[in-house]
Amino acid sequence: MAKGFYISKNMGLAGLLMGAVAVVIIIALAAVYDKEKTKNQNKPVDGVAMLTTASPTTSSTLSTPKDPWEHYRLPDSLSPVSYNITLWPRLVVNASTGLYIFTGQSAVVFQCKKDTDLIVIHCNKLNLTLLNGHHARLTGLDGATAPTVKTSWLQVKTEYLVIQLNGKLTAGKSYRLSTDFQGELADDLKGFYRSEYTEDGGKKVVATSQMQATFARKAFPCFDEPAMKAVFHITLIHQRGTVALSNGRDVETVNSTIDGTEVTMTRFEPTKRMSTYLLAFIVMGQKFTYTQFVFVDTNCLQVRIWARRKAIAEGHGNYALNVTGPMLNFFERYYNASYPLSKSDQIALPDFNAGAMENWGLITYRETALLYDPAISSVGNKERVLTVVAHELAHMWFGNLVTLRWWNDLWLNEGFASYVEYLGADYAEPTWNIKEQTILNDVHKVFAVDALASSHPLSRKEEEVNQPDEISEMFNTISYSKVLYVLEHLLQQGSLCSRTSPTFAFNNTVYSDLWDHLQKVILTTPGMSLPHTVHDIMNRWILQMGFPVVTIDTATGHITQKHFLLDPDSVVDRPSPYNYTWLVPIKWMKGGVEREQHWLLQETGISNARSEWVLANLNVSGYYRVNYDMDNWERLLNQLTTDHTVIPLINRAQIVDDAFNLARAKVINTTLALRTTRYLSQERDYIPWESALRNLNYYILMFDRGQAYGVLQGYLKMQITPLFEYFRTITVDWTRVPTGHNDQYNQINAISFACRMGVERCRVLTSDWFREWMLNPDHNPIHPNLKTTVYCNAIAAGGVAEWDFAWQMFKNATVATEAAKLRSSLACTKVPWLLNRYLDYSLDPAKIRKQDCTSTINYIAGNVVGMPLAWDFIRARWNYIYTEYGGGSFSFSNLINGVTRRFSTEFELKQLKQFKEDNARVGFGSGTLALEQAIERTTANIKWVAENQEPVMKWLANECT
Ligand SMILES: *[C@@H]1O[C@H](CO)[C@@H](O)[C@H](O)[C@H]1NC(C)=O
Ligand SMILES: *[C@@H]1O[C@H](CO)[C@@H](O)[C@H](O)[C@H]1NC(C)=O
Ligand SMILES: *[C@@H]1O[C@H](CO)[C@@H](O)[C@H](O)[C@H]1NC(C)=O
Ligand SMILES: *[C@@H]1O[C@H](CO)[C@@H](O)[C@H](O)[C@H]1NC(C)=O
Ligand SMILES: [Zn+2]
């Protein structure tokens, strides 16, 4: 799935190198995957050994092993070969049950790997029709005789259909298991589900699917683990006049009549051998349509973009279509493998939980991640389309063709796709400097989470990730971004690309095989060397959580490292095999000149001529923070104020971010961090400003309800005003938009921060713009880039009239990105009753879509007035929210994170703990970890405010005079 990504700047070279690594990884995983099938056969059939390691003390009945169906992992006695699946979704409600349903038949041919009298197959929330008195029918193939069924039942907790046989299945023989079933086509965004939207005043229903991670079992009985690959023969039955899509091209469409109902049956070409989590089934009315073009090169690839008819008619699919072709070509060259399928469909769904899902050949998107309207969408919207499309297309090879063996290795899958996504995006839009623009977003995000004692290593043991909730917790920021740095450590080492010859042996887990191969490449490449083995370097980064702060004493030349923890008092109770030390590559410069790279722990040598500044982690190419002796800090600060352009752009952002975080961790003084913001009155670039704003945001969050806020606002107003005026000038009094991609982002920042800090000209500007629109609703004078901030500030400065107007515009909005902007801006009002009413709306699916509920509450919580209202709201309704929105939903942990962000008092901590206790029985699902993190963060905030409020106020007061 799609999230953010990070990429380094010296990409020209590294990009080339990555090409080689891509091929290596692909080969490595492909080989490992095939190996694993054999390896699995040696495991005990019931997987007991695995589980006892995981929880040796959970029960006193250790001597009586659990039955296979009580384990969350499938036994390894059976292996699927192919499925025949026929599904018939009904897009109208069933009059007698009041439900939307689908019916289906499925037959799976599997091979028996080990004699067994037990069939365990995933099946969740399906009503199976009894066949000869049992839940399924078993047939022997190729002369094998199938034993008769003794008994069968559904094991609800572990989501299995269990069938006990009267005799044994024989190793080496194949069998077919057939089922007939009925399921609910619910609007729960999981498995085969229904998506509803309104168009032309009427309700429209689309049947669609989301299988990752564990929901294919809700569509048909299947061996629902990523390594259980098979070929799928899919037929969809649907109402005449509707269109059906699946992973492959449709090969046959026939009209027929079933039980008196006129239907069309669409049969699809058999899929490639693939994992269940990548399947997709969609049935939609004629209201949906597509734009398409067919590549005329080698394999006549069919490329189509699907969306609501109106969106396509207005050309909103064109941008995605424009970039898909070049990117597919790029990836073919990059992976050195042609696109594996005969078609590529991408569809924008009105109701979708993740940003996008890389179903093989039929990628599903939120509308905002695929559709782009030049007249209405902002530069950020466009970039989102570009990067998400690139990410999903990258998965068509990495992830889909070559697949992780189990979810514990999700980091490899997502991290790699997130890396390659950048390359594809940069190829399609070379002038955007995406690398610069996004580098800090992801680094900083990952740093923030990974600096907590409750973080976790990138790679988890397979047996630590079993249940659906644990699997969905793997989809977090650390999985997605950390690996990029880690890989880059190796890439900087030289020309990996010159050798990719694939003569290597693989064993064990995926990543260690990869290290073996990289090691061989390095050993056999002339001129390449590393001071340590690839295993030594890489395992330290992926098997232990966190990252170091590297301290350079320029007087003595000493370099040291220490595990960086944001809360200095937190206790790490997770042992590390490496004692939390890393092999750190240190790129650095002295007096503006780049010097030779060091490997920390190997040597030290950064001595100083005392007058020149030293800067380490050049362009932030390594995953660590840097601290210096005070003299060097002074020299750096001095350089920033005299001529900041001497220091590379990315490092200006790094200095600010490192300083603020080191201060939070009490490694340096808070005032030193604040001093890195002094030069900002001269800074005109986006990246450093954005870095500063994010860090200052913490100060704003901690202080905006207290007495320090006055001076803080005063200082920041002083710093932002020159930037605001700069953009006023270069846009000729706000009549144009800057040409540079990053300048466009910076203009948005300048306006939104200036307004927030109370720059009067800014308030007038935004309120006037909005009023102009209110007077003439058909003509919106606000540039798409500026809409979010102008709406928000005008609504914040206004009252019920502004709010109701925006709500009306939200309801009328036909473009998803426009609706999203209004939806976030509606949370900006300062009027409590409007905020409370909006909270109520957020749980009413007729007003706010289910997929948008948690983010809407988060927007409200982001507002200083709305925060306590939102907290009361979710506490009062936790049970309901959890039942309706919890479970496997990915945005669930965001809700807890969002609402508790400002928490910084003992009273709030008490409330948080009470909340945890009160709802222990209800549970927190995929938000469990987030809740722990919220408690930890609140504790740290309390301490921070107690220690810093005084000195910060003093420093600020001094600056303001
Ligand atoms: C699927 O259907 C095809 C054609 O009807 C048949 O040849 C094949 O054996 C079936 N496979 C399974 C798994 O039932
Ligand atoms: C499945 O069976 C249960 C129990 O009979 C029933 O309540 C439910 O509505 C059925 N679901 C569907 C989709 O038919
Ligand atoms: C099936 O029926 C639909 C609507 O009645 C018609 O448009 C279509 O051409 C028919 N398709 C075939 C293959 O006969
Ligand atoms: C798509 O490409 C065409 C042809 O190059 C161009 O005219 C059009 O403006 C592009 N559309 C978008 C939205 O970028
Ligand atoms: Zn992904």
Side-chain angles (χ1 to χ4, degrees), residues 82-84 107 109 176:
S82 70
Y83 292 77
N84 276 7
V109 171
R176 178 191 296 125

Side-chain angles (χ1 to χ4, degrees), residues 876-890:
R877 290 169 185 73
W878 185 256
N879 202 338
Y880 177 79
I881 297 176
Y882 183 78
T883 328
E884 289 291 303
Y885 299 85
S889 153
F890 298 135

Side-chain angles (χ1 to χ4, degrees), residues 15-28:
L16 281 175
L17 299 179
M18 274 311 290
V21 175
V23 175
V24 170
I25 296 180
I26 291 263
I27 296 165

Side-chain angles (χ1 to χ4, degrees), residues 794-811:
I795 289 170
V800 65
E802 283 76 10
W803 202 95
D804 284 347
F805 173 75
W807 176 252
Q808 199 54 45
M809 293 296 109
F810 169 72
K811 284 198 297 184

